[in-house]
Amino acid sequence: STLEPNVRVVEYISPSWNILIVFIAMIFMVLNKQLYAARFRVMLFGLLQTSDSEKMTREWNPITSINGLTIFLSYVAVMAIIVQKIILVFSENPMFYDGFGFYLDICSFIMAYLIIQYLFVTFYGWLFHLEAATTHQEVMHLSTMTMLTIIMIVFGLVVLFYPTKIILIITSAIILIITAFRIIKTFFEFQILSKRNLFNIFLYFCTLEIIP
C-alpha cells in the first residue's frame, strides 16, 4: 500500500496582533531586567522576601516609577489575552469573543478595576493614617503583577498556538494560587503594620480582593 498525504486542518489560529501584544510585554520585561536589574529583582521577589519589599518602600516608590508603569501595562495586556482565550475556548464562539474590540473591553475593565482598587487603598490609608500598611499592600500587589506577568507570557505563548482547555485551566490555577498566597500573606502583614482588629481587616480584604 502507499501513503497518501492528508491536509492538516488547523482549527484555530491566533490573530497576529495577539503575538504582537505578548511580544511587546516581553520587551518591557526584558528592558526592566537589563536597564534596572536591581529594581527588577526586588519587584520580582518582593512577594517572597519581606526584606525586598521593605527595601522597595525605603529607597524608592515602585508604584510611581517607570518600572511600575511598564509592569502594570504588561500585566493588563497579557492578563487580557489570557482572559479572552478562556472566554473564547470555553464559549466556542469566535464571532463574538475573538475580535480586537472585545480584547480592548477586557483591558479597559482590568485597568479600571486596578486603578479603582489603588485609589481606594490610598484613600483608606490616608483616612485612617495607615500609609505604611497600605503602601506595603500596594507594593505586594505590584510584586505579584511582576511574577504573574512572566508566568503569563510563557503560558500565553503556548496558548496562542495551542489554545486547549487543559492549558488554560493550568494557567488559571497558577494565577489563582499566587493571588491567594498574596492575599493571605498581605492580610497578616497588614494586621502587624496597622495593629487593627482582625475582623475589620478581614472585611476590608473581602471588599477589596475577594468579592470583586
Side-chain angles (χ1 to χ4, degrees), residues 82-131:
I82 298 296
V83 172
Q84 184 179 26
K85 296 306 177 187
I86 291 173
I87 297 174
L88 178 63
V89 170
F90 282 88
S91 68
E92 299 180 352
N93 194 340
M95 182 179 297
F96 290 140
Y97 303 123
D98 197 27
F100 186 67
F102 183 66
Y103 171 78
L104 291 180
D105 291 340
I106 299 175
C107 284
S108 301
F109 178 82
I110 296 174
M111 190 175 296
Y113 168 70
L114 292 175
I115 291 174
I116 292 173
Q117 188 183 51
Y118 170 75
L119 294 176
F120 178 84
V121 171
T122 304
F123 177 74
Y124 183 87
W126 171 80
L127 186 64
F128 295 100
H129 305 287
L130 302 172
E131 287 84 357

Side-chain angles (χ1 to χ4, degrees), residues 17-35:
W17 57 266
N18 283 184
I19 301 175
L20 181 62
I21 288 172
V22 175
F23 179 73
I24 292 174
M26 192 185 304
I27 291 296
F28 279 157
M29 302 301 288
V30 171
L31 288 177
N32 269 299
K33 176 66 172 61
Q34 294 299 321
L35 300 179

Side-chain angles (χ1 to χ4, degrees), residues 108-162:
S108 301
F109 178 82
I110 296 174
M111 190 175 296
Y113 168 70
L114 292 175
I115 291 174
I116 292 173
Q117 188 183 51
Y118 170 75
L119 294 176
F120 178 84
V121 171
T122 304
F123 177 74
Y124 183 87
W126 171 80
L127 186 64
F128 295 100
H129 305 287
L130 302 172
E131 287 84 357
T134 53
T135 300
H136 179 77
Q137 178 186 354
E138 293 165 355
V139 168
M140 288 296 96
H141 201 171
L142 182 62
S143 176
T144 307
M145 286 184 187
T146 308
M147 186 181 300
L148 285 178
T149 300
I150 295 176
I151 294 172
M152 288 189 297
I153 286 175
V154 174
F155 280 92
L157 290 173
V158 178
V159 169
L160 291 183
F161 297 99
Y162 299 98

Side-chain angles (χ1 to χ4, degrees), residues 30-210:
V30 171
L31 288 177
N32 269 299
K33 176 66 172 61
Q34 294 299 321
L35 300 179
Y36 308 96
R39 291 186 176 187
F40 183 77
R41 180 189 175 281
V42 171
M43 287 193 296
L44 181 59
F45 297 106
L47 181 66
L48 305 176
Q49 301 178 10
T50 306
S51 59
D52 283 348
S53 63
E54 293 175 351
K55 181 180 179 180
M56 266 197 289
T57 56
R58 183 173 63 251
E59 296 182 0
W60 57 289
N61 189 350
I63 301 169
T64 57
S65 67
I66 187 65
N67 309 93
L69 177 62
T70 54
I71 294 297
F72 171 76
L73 294 177
S74 301
Y75 174 81
V76 171
V78 184
M79 177 64 81
I81 286 284
I82 298 296
V83 172
Q84 184 179 26
K85 296 306 177 187
I86 291 173
I87 297 174
L88 178 63
V89 170
F90 282 88
S91 68
E92 299 180 352
N93 194 340
M95 182 179 297
F96 290 140
Y97 303 123
D98 197 27
F100 186 67
F102 183 66
Y103 171 78
L104 291 180
D105 291 340
I106 299 175
C107 284
S108 301
F109 178 82
I110 296 174
M111 190 175 296
Y113 168 70
L114 292 175
I115 291 174
I116 292 173
Q117 188 183 51
Y118 170 75
L119 294 176
F120 178 84
V121 171
T122 304
F123 177 74
Y124 183 87
W126 171 80
L127 186 64
F128 295 100
H129 305 287
L130 302 172
E131 287 84 357
T134 53
T135 300
H136 179 77
Q137 178 186 354
E138 293 165 355
V139 168
M140 288 296 96
H141 201 171
L142 182 62
S143 176
T144 307
M145 286 184 187
T146 308
M147 186 181 300
L148 285 178
T149 300
I150 295 176
I151 294 172
M152 288 189 297
I153 286 175
V154 174
F155 280 92
L157 290 173
V158 178
V159 169
L160 291 183
F161 297 99
Y162 299 98
T164 59
K165 292 183 179 180
I166 185 62
I167 295 177
L168 290 170
I169 290 173
I170 293 173
T171 307
S172 302
I174 293 174
I175 294 172
L176 290 175
I177 290 171
I178 295 177
T179 302
F181 175 77
R182 172 184 67 84
I183 294 174
I184 294 172
K185 184 175 186 292
T186 310
F187 174 83
F188 291 104
E189 292 175 347
F190 193 92
Q191 195 274 331
I192 295 173
L193 292 171
S194 65
K195 297 180 174 60
R196 296 181 70 86
N197 184 279
L198 276 177
F199 181 70
N200 291 334
I201 297 176
F202 175 75
L203 294 178
Y204 165 78
F205 272 85
C206 281
T207 304
L208 193 67
E209 302 279 3
I210 299 174

